[in-house]
């Protein structure tokens, strides 16, 4: 009995499907093939545009990745140059800076020479 109940809805679905086809045929008549053809053409155009957009997105993505790589390289070079310049300035400051102990010793020696 359960099997009969499952067959009945399927049979009704087939009947309703054929009814829909009959209604569709009445409404659209001979033009249905033309509509189907136009829909197929539109679907193909949509697929073509989608493919073009995907290709364009890939192209832009590749260009962006190249630009990012180029920028990264440029930034790394600039950072290295700035580090080198900072190190040079630090060394120059250290060289120019007078040690207080050495300055004190020099002043004492200068004072002793003046006394003599």
């Amino acid at each position: 009995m359960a099997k009969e109940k499952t067959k009945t809805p399927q049979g009704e679905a087939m009947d309703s499907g054929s009814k829909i086809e009959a209604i569709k045929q009445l409404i659209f008549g001979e033009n249905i093939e033309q509509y189907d053809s136009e829909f197929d053409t539109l679907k193909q155009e949509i697929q073509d545009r989608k493919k073009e957009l995907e290709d364009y997105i890939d192209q832009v993505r590749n260009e962006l990745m190249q630009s990012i790589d180029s920028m990264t390289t440029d930034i790394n070079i600039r950072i290295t140059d700035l580090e080198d310049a900072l190190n040079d300035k630090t060394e120059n400051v250290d060289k120019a800076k007078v040690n207080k102990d050495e300055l004190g010793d020099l002043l004492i020696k200068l004072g002793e020479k003046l006394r003599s």
Side-chain angles (χ1 to χ4, degrees):
M1 286 188 197
K3 290 182 181 178
E4 290 178 16
K5 288 182 180 179
T6 57
K7 288 183 180 178
T8 305
Q10 289 175 355
E12 289 176 7
M14 292 179 132
D15 289 339
S16 65
S18 61
K19 288 179 183 177
I20 291 174
E21 285 297 320
I23 293 170
K24 194 164 77 171
Q25 186 65 27
L26 285 173
I27 293 172
F28 298 110
E30 298 171 359
N31 295 334
I32 193 74
E33 290 179 15
Q34 181 184 359
Y35 293 139
D36 285 342
S37 173
E38 288 178 13
F39 283 132
D40 289 340
T41 303
L42 287 173
K43 285 179 186 177
Q44 186 61 42
E45 286 182 19
I46 289 171
Q47 289 297 326
D48 292 345
R49 296 297 181 261
K50 181 180 175 186
K51 177 70 173 136
E52 287 176 15
L53 286 173
E54 288 172 348
D55 291 344
Y56 183 71
I57 289 169
D58 288 340
Q59 179 185 357
V60 169
R61 181 179 292 122
N62 290 336
E63 289 175 7
L64 282 173
M65 293 306 291
Q66 288 175 352
S67 295
I68 289 170
D69 288 344
S70 175
M71 252 201 234
T72 302
T73 303
D74 187 44
I75 288 172
N76 285 336
I77 290 170
R78 288 180 185 207
I79 287 173
T80 303
D81 289 346
L82 287 172
E83 286 174 344
D84 292 343
L86 182 62
N87 288 336
D88 289 345
K89 295 281 184 184
T90 304
E91 287 177 18
N92 289 340
V93 167
D94 286 343
K95 288 179 184 177
K97 180 178 165 185
V98 176
N99 188 348
K100 291 180 182 179
D101 292 333
E102 289 178 13
L103 181 61
D105 290 341
L106 288 174
L107 288 174
I108 290 171
K109 286 181 185 177
L110 181 62
E112 287 174 358
K113 285 185 181 180
L114 287 174
R115 277 192 187 161
S116 28

